[in-house]
Amino acid sequence: MYDVIIVGAGPGGCITAKTLEDSGLKVCVLDRKPKNLIGEKVCGDAIGKHHLDFLNRKVGLGYPEEELKTKIRGVKIFSPDRKTFFTTETREGGYTINRLLFGQRLISELGDVNLLADTDVVGIKGRDVIIRREGKVDKIQAGVLVDASGMQAVIRRQIDSPYIEKDIDKRDIAICHREIRDYRFEDQEYCHIYLDQDMSSGGYIWVFPEGGHTNIGLGVKYPINPKERFYHYIKGKPFEDSKIINAGGGAVPVRRTIDSVVAFQNSLGFMFIGDAACQANPIHGGGIGQAMTGGYLAGSVIKKVIDDISLEGLWDYNLAWMKDYGSRSAGLDLFRILLQSLTNKQINFGMKNRLIREEDLLKTSEGGNLELGIADKLTRAMKGITRVNLLNNLRFTANKMQEIKNLYRDYPSPDGFFEWRSRVRKLYQEINSVLKNK
Ligand SMILES: Cc1cc2nc3c(=O)[nH]c(=O)nc-3n(C[C@H](O)[C@H](O)[C@H](O)COP(=O)(O)OP(=O)(O)OC[C@H]3O[C@@H](n4cnc5c(N)ncnc54)[C@H](O)[C@@H]3O)c2cc1C
């Protein structure tokens, strides 16, 4: 019997475990991968330094060394016609990293935690966690079960709790094809993002520097085939004929966090972290830092409540996540729905005319606020009906983003959860019908 079982040794699971390091609790982390492959994942490999600063302060996580590929200053976002680009930079900057080496470092820092690699979690039955290891099926138990299994969300998909959404709408998932190429990208200090609704419908194309290599990828909305689009995109590009170092497909949730990241069933506490809880940023799909922050918050709550586990006690993780990241993520989700509804022409126009100012973009992409640049003045000056629609939709979304952020800042206690959730859903219905999100 463990105090805590963590399913998945990705960034989210590892930081949950690291947070529990000196707690004296009996913790077990399970991962279906062999130990030497933990961390390996198809990814853009980029992480903002501010996430690592936070985790350094909270759990002493070190900065990238062996896994470091490049230090980056920021991101350049290009309009579909490539005539305009916005540069977003933070004071701290960020890194591109080798995810396998990063994952290996994370597991090497787990101290006394019992890591069971090569162990597939099959599901739950009452209080039993069913695992398959070395060809045998077994069961283990704990007081708290943490689902940090990424997109697999093996526990979330099986739990029967009125608080938890088992399934995620396919429209809320970005499906990607990514290749690391033996090619040195000329702009080593910036990650490039290319918006193009024809090529990467509902998503974007990325070209990220990794020293002598380049991480190139394309994300789209279901049911488009990202690999086909990827090969179409790279035609004629300088890296078209470069050697492929690593290639593969992947998926990331790009919606607001699931409505509750905790549940309590059969006297067993459940917590959901990272991609399993849809904690990645809905605009750019970055989820490494978010998963680790989720892991830290969950671990901190476990330490407080482990002697008397209840829904009310675990709820502190909901409150800590939802009032901050959760609120921003909900605002960004609405902005994502707006962006996906735009045509290339509208994006070109919006970026060229600075409907959102470059300096506000970072605030939007991280904070979930939409500051409209000259949109108001333009509405009065404009005749074209399409553009007026664009401006109206921008203003409508900006207001709804504020509204939903406020709802999340007032995240309820368990008693008020269902009423709160119906208000969130109503707001989504409204935004989907105005922006015609299909
Ligand atoms: C193409 C692509 C590009 C991305 N680019 C970026 C980027 O540049 N920057 C960024 O910050 N984020 C990026 N992301 C998102 C990021 O990869 C995820 O948000 C992040 O890895 C989530 O961490 P996690 O710990 O929740 O899950 P994961 O990293 O997915 O880890 C989950 C772990 O659980 C294990 N597991 C799964 N199922 C089971 C099971 N049944 N039993 C036992 N173990 C199990 C897996 O083996 C894995 O080790 C990208 C994602 C994709 C797909």
Side-chain angles (χ1 to χ4, degrees):
M1 174 85 182
Y2 293 98
D3 293 305
V4 185
I5 292 174
I6 301 169
V7 184
C14 282
I15 296 296
T16 313
K18 192 166 170 58
T19 308
L20 296 170
E21 206 170 30
D22 298 320
S23 60
L25 297 177
K26 210 170 157 216
V27 180
C28 176
V29 183
L30 310 163
D31 204 292
R32 63 180 175 184
K33 287 182 186 152
K35 192 172 176 191
N36 65 346
L37 288 184
I38 289 178
E40 175 74 25
K41 179 163 177 166
V42 168
C43 184
D45 302 338
I47 180 161
K49 180 168 172 286
H50 62 284
H51 291 296
L52 297 172
D53 289 339
F54 175 79
L55 290 153
N56 182 267
R57 282 197 306 277
K58 297 295 183 188
V59 292
L61 183 72
Y63 291 92
E65 284 183 17
E66 214 184 321
E67 72 269 27
L68 177 67
K69 291 204 167 169
T70 14
K71 286 191 180 166
I72 49 173
R73 290 160 67 105
V75 182
K76 289 181 185 165
I77 302 164
F78 293 79
S79 61
D81 62 8
R82 309 287 189 265
K83 288 187 181 156
T84 319
F85 71 88
F86 284 1
T87 305
T88 66
E89 279 180 23
T90 57
R91 203 168 6 99
E92 302 89 355
Y95 308 96
T96 54
I97 53 173
N98 176 317
R99 279 219 55 182
L100 175 61
L101 295 182
F102 180 56
Q104 291 290 303
R105 172 158 74 91
L106 291 178
I107 58 169
S108 76
E109 290 187 18
L110 289 186
D112 287 342
V113 168
N114 194 7
L115 171 68
L116 292 183
D118 260 326
T119 306
D120 200 4
V121 174
V122 188
I124 38 168
K125 214 169 190 185
R127 286 184 54 84
D128 292 332
V129 179
I130 315 296
I131 60 173
R132 195 181 301 118
R133 191 173 153 75
E134 293 166 355
K136 289 193 205 114
V137 175
D138 205 348
K139 51 190 181 195
I140 50 178
Q141 287 196 347
V144 177
L145 177 59
V146 178
D147 187 355
S149 64
M151 283 297 291
Q152 174 87 4
V154 59
I155 304 300
R156 196 199 72 217
R157 286 178 205 263
Q158 293 191 29
I159 188 177
D160 256 324
S161 160
Y163 292 90
I164 303 299
E165 298 140 272
K166 283 185 175 185
D167 297 312
I168 299 304
D169 193 321
K170 288 195 177 89
R171 291 172 302 180
D172 293 332
I173 294 172
I175 42 175
C176 314
H177 180 77
R178 193 279 329 244
E179 297 192 355
I180 295 180
R181 294 284 189 126
D182 186 14
Y183 173 84
R184 188 174 171 84
F185 186 47
E186 63 278 10
D187 196 353
Q188 281 291 310
E189 291 192 315
Y190 289 91
C191 289
H192 285 204
I193 284 182
Y194 300 95
L195 302 176
D196 188 335
Q197 297 288 56
D198 299 332
M199 188 72 79
S200 55
S201 327
Y204 62 81
I205 298 150
W206 72 86
V207 179
F208 291 177
E210 296 198 346
H213 296 156
T214 305
N215 183 318
I216 309 154
L218 181 148
V220 286
K221 217 171 152 177
Y222 177 84
I224 299 162
N225 180 332
K227 190 171 175 186
E228 267 175 36
R229 291 285 174 94
F230 178 91
Y231 277 97
H232 189 47
Y233 166 72
I234 66 164
K235 267 199 192 111
K237 298 279 181 303
F239 38 76
E240 183 184 3
D241 297 320
S242 57
K243 192 172 148 209
I244 301 170
I245 306 292
N246 185 308
V252 65
V254 285
R255 53 156 274 174
R256 71 187 192 278
T257 306
I258 52 172
D259 294 331
S260 167
V261 287
V262 305
F264 188 70
Q265 298 273 113
N266 304 318
S267 309
L268 173 58
F270 292 86
M271 296 173 115
F272 301 86
I273 312 275
D275 286 3
C278 300
Q279 288 178 331
N281 181 310
I283 295 294
H284 50 64
I288 305 170
Q290 286 78 349
M292 293 195 294
T293 303
Y296 165 72
L297 297 174
S300 307
V301 170
I302 292 172
K303 281 199 270 193
K304 278 197 287 178
V305 305
I306 194 73
D307 291 333
D308 183 16
I309 304 159
S310 65
L311 182 66
E312 288 69 23
L314 295 169
W315 205 259
D316 279 356
Y317 169 45
N318 256 340
L319 296 175
W321 178 267
M322 296 299 182
K323 284 175 183 259
D324 182 11
Y325 271 91
S327 151
R328 289 190 259 157
S329 143
L332 290 174
D333 194 14
L334 299 191
F335 189 52
R336 186 253 324 176
I337 294 169
L338 169 78
L339 278 179
Q340 290 182 330
S341 76
L342 301 179
T343 60
N344 276 350
K345 243 174 149 175
Q346 289 175 318
I347 300 174
N348 289 335
F349 174 83
M351 287 182 71
K352 181 166 165 245
N353 291 290
R354 299 289 195 263
L355 293 189
I356 300 172
R357 285 178 297 248
E358 198 166 11
E359 60 269 31
D360 290 330
L361 197 67
L362 191 69
K363 272 194 249 159
T364 303
S365 67
E366 293 298 330
N369 295 315
L370 182 54
E371 305 271 346
L372 296 182
I374 53 165
D376 275 325
K377 274 189 222 146
L378 266 176
T379 316
R380 278 178 249 129
M382 272 193 348
K383 301 267 183 289
I385 186 76
T386 332
R387 287 166 183 184
V388 171
N389 275 348
L390 167 66
L391 293 169
N392 285 341
N393 283 350
L394 262 174
R395 204 170 307 103
F396 168 78
T397 308
N399 290 337
K400 293 293 161 195
M401 283 168 74
Q402 199 49 55
E403 206 176 306
I404 201 153
K405 283 187 71 177
N406 291 341
L407 254 179
Y408 273 76
R409 286 201 187 113
D410 284 337
Y411 192 82
S413 62
D415 288 346
F417 175 77
F418 297 105
E419 200 255 319
W420 174 87
R421 187 169 68 184
S422 58
R423 288 171 66 196
V424 171
R425 288 184 177 170
K426 210 167 140 228
L427 214 146
Y428 266 82
Q429 270 167 7
E430 198 186 340
I431 193 134
N432 280 330
S433 82
V434 171
L435 300 179
K436 314 243 177 321
N437 182 36
K438 296 196 187 77

